[in-house]
Amino acid sequence: MVTAVYWVSEAVPLGAAALVPAFLYPLFGVLKSSEVAAEYCKDTTLLLMGVICLAASIEKWNLHKRIALRMVMIAGAKPGMLVLGFMCCTVFLSMWLSNTSTTAMVMPIAEAVLQQLICTGLADSHDDSETAEAPEEDSDKEENLDKNQLELLYRNSWYVCVRVAIEIPNVKRVKMRRDSQYPTKRDHMICKCLSLSITYAATIGGLITITGTSTNLIFAEQFNNRYPDAKVINFGTWFIFSFPIAIIMLVLTWLWLHFLFLGCNFRETCSLSKKRKTRREMLSERRIHEEYAKLGPISYPEVVTGVFFVLMTLLWFTREPGFVPGWTSLFEKKGYRTDATVSVLLGFLLFLIPARRPFSSSSCCKNSDDESESDPLAPMITWKDFQRLMPWEIVILVGGGYALAAGCKVSGLSVWIGRQLEPMSGLPPWAVTLLACLLVSAVTEFASNPATLTVFLPILSALSETLLINPLHTLIPSTMCVSFGVMLPVGNPPNAIVFSYGHVQIRDMVKAGFGVNLIGVAVVMLAITTWGVPLFNLTEFPVWAVARNGTGSL
């Protein structure tokens, strides 16, 4: 309770609050200090470290920017297709990077496109005013116009300041424009739609992989720690279950945002025909192409990073796919190799492989710093690159959750909680899961996602064992729904990043987020009652849970 209060109130940093079990358990004789300390570094810590190594290489060599711009170029500049293009690239990147990092990477690119849209809108209004108010003796009138320079200065942490000067006649319309930075209400709606779509897409992408977000890692480690005989949760099974969820959520979220901000005229906003493109859309496309051209040809470090990216994914998928023997069957001893083994191995190689092409005299590291430029043997990433992205607070937070679970195991607290929940035994499994999803998604709007899940997982596990429900029936949906804290800027860091750009207000985020929240809960419930049943054999109370329930221990 003490740790949970600190987590929810955030009176101290989350990582500091996670250290409470480290001194309270030994003081009160619950666990030895050495036993508590062992809980703070698990297999998922190594898995996260390897993934962060790859993420550091992706960010250092601008591979994320190349992927994002390329996907947006394919989508086009029509508002509806532009939003869908940014959502697709954000989902893809968020599968492998943290939701916060992905939003911080993609949002500046989107902001540059939006500012181009605003600038072009002002230029269009300038043309309209000239056409509407110019008399027959147009040339004489223009000589006497007192023209002002309106400098639109837009900047962010990823781009050098860009100054755009647009000449606008000193007419009454200019005064109206000064009240708002947006040329028209429709332009403002496009800015809102695109900004919110990025934070929602980052959340959706984080659901797909077991490493996509910290809450997935918390669930995987706590589940495997509580049920060591259950060999059902790995990268492959999680991906098979969550990928259809993400696709359905992506489409429905895009439709919801389009309806909310852009209306229902999909033919106008989603047409790929060049004849239907406006001047602003053509200039926006040109801006995106210019940004892509600045990256130049693909470099050797980008190729190496891309190869490692694909290799890590393939090795994760083929380790224990389930329907065929995986590559771990080639080894004599079973159960020694996990996804963390692959992650750490490839992460280590990134510190070892030089960033410069072998036998090449010219430097190909156009995005590297001065140190790697001068050192021909400089590696793909340095320890500083890794340290800059490594979320140590999340590592300690996850460790605190494991320590709490270990205390529950020794003291029998979880068994006691399960007995108090026996009156719910009359509810069907889907009703229990729905209540858990709604409760978790409501609490996570005001508390951090990792802290919320860490508090609820032991309770839901005990509830499932008491009601003789497959624990996966409640744990997996709750783990996914804990990511749906999208209604407020404090719900998660991506929301705060998008809110800081100033395009959306809290009422916009609440209105759009409420719909996304309902979509998420509905799709997750659909998944767990359909294709999740045969995938995880949810119709039976499993043997690995029977043994756990019979011993009465965690």
Side-chain angles (χ1 to χ4, degrees), residues 7 33 44 52 123 234 249 260 339 348 412 444 455 471 508 515 545 551:
W7 273 339
S33 183
T44 48
I52 292 299
N234 55 47
M249 278 196 67
L260 201 60
D339 291 337
F348 171 76
T444 195
V455 170
D508 300 318
T551 57

Side-chain angles (χ1 to χ4, degrees), residues 235-452:
F235 186 90
T237 56
W238 183 274
F239 184 88
I240 293 171
F241 176 74
S242 59
F243 185 73
I245 294 177
I247 296 299
I248 298 173
M249 278 196 67
L250 175 65
V251 175
L252 293 180
T253 302
W254 175 68
L255 291 173
W256 165 243
L257 292 176
H258 195 290
F259 166 76
L260 201 60
F261 296 107
L262 303 180
C264 299
N265 192 351
F266 289 91
R267 184 178 181 183
E268 178 186 344
T269 60
C270 303
S271 174
L272 297 178
S273 174
K274 292 185 178 180
K275 296 180 181 179
R276 291 179 174 269
K277 290 182 181 177
T278 64
R279 177 171 175 267
R280 276 189 286 176
E281 290 164 356
M282 294 177 67
L283 288 176
S284 297
E285 280 191 359
R286 186 186 305 170
R287 176 59 188 272
I288 295 171
H289 282 270
E290 288 173 357
E291 292 295 334
Y292 188 81
K294 289 179 184 178
L295 297 177
I298 189 167
S299 63
Y300 172 74
E302 287 180 272
V303 173
V304 173
T305 303
V307 170
F308 271 57
F309 181 86
V310 174
L311 186 60
M312 183 179 289
T313 306
L314 289 177
L315 290 175
W316 277 343
F317 265 114
T318 57
R319 182 176 65 86
E320 289 179 354
F323 52 91
V324 293
W327 55 264
T328 54
S329 61
L330 301 176
F331 296 88
E332 183 178 354
K333 293 184 177 181
K334 310 298 181 184
Y336 280 72
R337 289 146 291 276
T338 65
D339 291 337
T341 310
V342 174
S343 177
V344 173
L345 171 61
L346 296 182
F348 171 76
L349 291 179
L350 289 173
F351 289 102
L352 195 64
I353 297 176
R356 183 174 296 183
R357 190 193 306 271
F359 312 112
S360 174
S361 57
S362 61
S363 175
C364 63
C365 307
K366 60 180 182 300
N367 298 320
S368 61
D369 51 18
D370 296 336
E371 182 181 353
S372 58
E373 286 279 355
S374 58
D375 185 5
L377 296 180
M380 291 287 296
I381 59 172
T382 63
W383 188 256
K384 288 183 179 179
D385 300 325
F386 167 78
Q387 188 79 346
R388 184 166 48 86
L389 290 184
M390 184 63 190
W392 292 111
E393 184 181 41
I394 294 298
V395 171
I396 298 175
L397 176 64
V398 173
Y402 302 151
L404 287 176
C408 293
K409 175 180 179 179
V410 172
S411 64
L413 174 62
S414 183
V415 177
W416 178 85
I417 292 175
R419 288 171 181 165
Q420 309 310 307
L421 300 174
E422 285 181 356
M424 297 180 64
S425 58
L427 294 175
W430 67 267
V432 175
T433 302
L434 179 60
L435 289 175
C437 290
L438 294 176
L439 179 61
V440 166
S441 60
V443 172
T444 195
E445 294 290 351
F446 308 97
S448 72
N449 299 352
T452 302

Side-chain angles (χ1 to χ4, degrees), residues 67-384:
I67 294 172
L69 288 173
R70 191 66 188 173
M71 295 182 74
V72 173
M73 286 167 61
I74 294 173
K78 282 286 184 180
M81 297 306 296
L82 186 66
V83 170
L84 184 60
F86 267 105
M87 290 184 73
C88 289
C89 71
T90 305
V91 166
F92 179 75
L93 291 174
S94 187
M95 289 169 59
W96 318 104
L97 311 178
S98 73
N99 298 354
T100 305
S101 299
T102 302
T103 307
M105 291 173 184
V106 177
M107 193 59 199
I109 302 174
E111 179 69 6
V113 175
L114 291 176
Q115 291 295 346
Q116 180 64 44
L117 184 71
I118 293 171
C119 295
T120 314
L122 288 170
D124 284 347
S125 64
H126 162 42
D127 294 340
D128 294 341
S129 64
E130 282 187 333
T131 303
E133 300 183 14
E136 294 181 358
E137 298 179 357
D138 191 51
S139 58
D140 295 336
K141 180 84 174 183
E142 284 183 354
E143 293 176 358
N144 299 324
L145 281 175
D146 179 19
K147 296 184 178 180
N148 296 327
Q149 291 288 333
L150 174 62
E151 293 184 348
L152 297 175
L153 190 63
Y154 54 94
R155 62 182 69 188
N156 49 58
S157 59
W158 292 78
Y159 290 93
V160 180
C161 299
V162 181
R163 179 168 294 175
V164 182
I166 303 175
E167 292 187 351
I168 298 183
N170 189 12
V171 293
K172 293 182 179 179
R173 294 192 182 188
V174 176
K175 188 174 182 180
M176 295 171 61
R177 297 299 183 201
R178 288 174 182 168
D179 298 335
S180 173
Q181 60 173 317
Y182 308 100
T184 64
K185 183 179 179 181
R186 179 173 175 76
D187 291 325
H188 193 187
M189 290 298 165
I190 293 174
C191 293
K192 289 181 179 182
C193 186
L194 184 56
S195 299
L196 289 175
S197 71
I198 290 174
T199 181
Y200 299 153
T203 298
I204 294 170
L207 301 176
I208 299 178
T209 60
I210 203 73
T211 59
T213 183
S214 58
T215 52
N216 293 356
L217 290 171
I218 292 173
F219 158 73
E221 186 60 35
Q222 286 210 18
F223 179 81
N224 291 329
N225 192 37
R226 184 184 180 97
Y227 307 107
D229 297 331
K231 307 297 182 181
V232 291
I233 296 297
N234 55 47
F235 186 90
T237 56
W238 183 274
F239 184 88
I240 293 171
F241 176 74
S242 59
F243 185 73
I245 294 177
I247 296 299
I248 298 173
M249 278 196 67
L250 175 65
V251 175
L252 293 180
T253 302
W254 175 68
L255 291 173
W256 165 243
L257 292 176
H258 195 290
F259 166 76
L260 201 60
F261 296 107
L262 303 180
C264 299
N265 192 351
F266 289 91
R267 184 178 181 183
E268 178 186 344
T269 60
C270 303
S271 174
L272 297 178
S273 174
K274 292 185 178 180
K275 296 180 181 179
R276 291 179 174 269
K277 290 182 181 177
T278 64
R279 177 171 175 267
R280 276 189 286 176
E281 290 164 356
M282 294 177 67
L283 288 176
S284 297
E285 280 191 359
R286 186 186 305 170
R287 176 59 188 272
I288 295 171
H289 282 270
E290 288 173 357
E291 292 295 334
Y292 188 81
K294 289 179 184 178
L295 297 177
I298 189 167
S299 63
Y300 172 74
E302 287 180 272
V303 173
V304 173
T305 303
V307 170
F308 271 57
F309 181 86
V310 174
L311 186 60
M312 183 179 289
T313 306
L314 289 177
L315 290 175
W316 277 343
F317 265 114
T318 57
R319 182 176 65 86
E320 289 179 354
F323 52 91
V324 293
W327 55 264
T328 54
S329 61
L330 301 176
F331 296 88
E332 183 178 354
K333 293 184 177 181
K334 310 298 181 184
Y336 280 72
R337 289 146 291 276
T338 65
D339 291 337
T341 310
V342 174
S343 177
V344 173
L345 171 61
L346 296 182
F348 171 76
L349 291 179
L350 289 173
F351 289 102
L352 195 64
I353 297 176
R356 183 174 296 183
R357 190 193 306 271
F359 312 112
S360 174
S361 57
S362 61
S363 175
C364 63
C365 307
K366 60 180 182 300
N367 298 320
S368 61
D369 51 18
D370 296 336
E371 182 181 353
S372 58
E373 286 279 355
S374 58
D375 185 5
L377 296 180
M380 291 287 296
I381 59 172
T382 63
W383 188 256
K384 288 183 179 179

Side-chain angles (χ1 to χ4, degrees), residues 452-465:
T452 302
L453 188 66
T454 305
V455 170
F456 274 95
L457 278 180
I459 298 174
L460 294 176
S461 298
L463 173 63
S464 301
E465 294 168 8

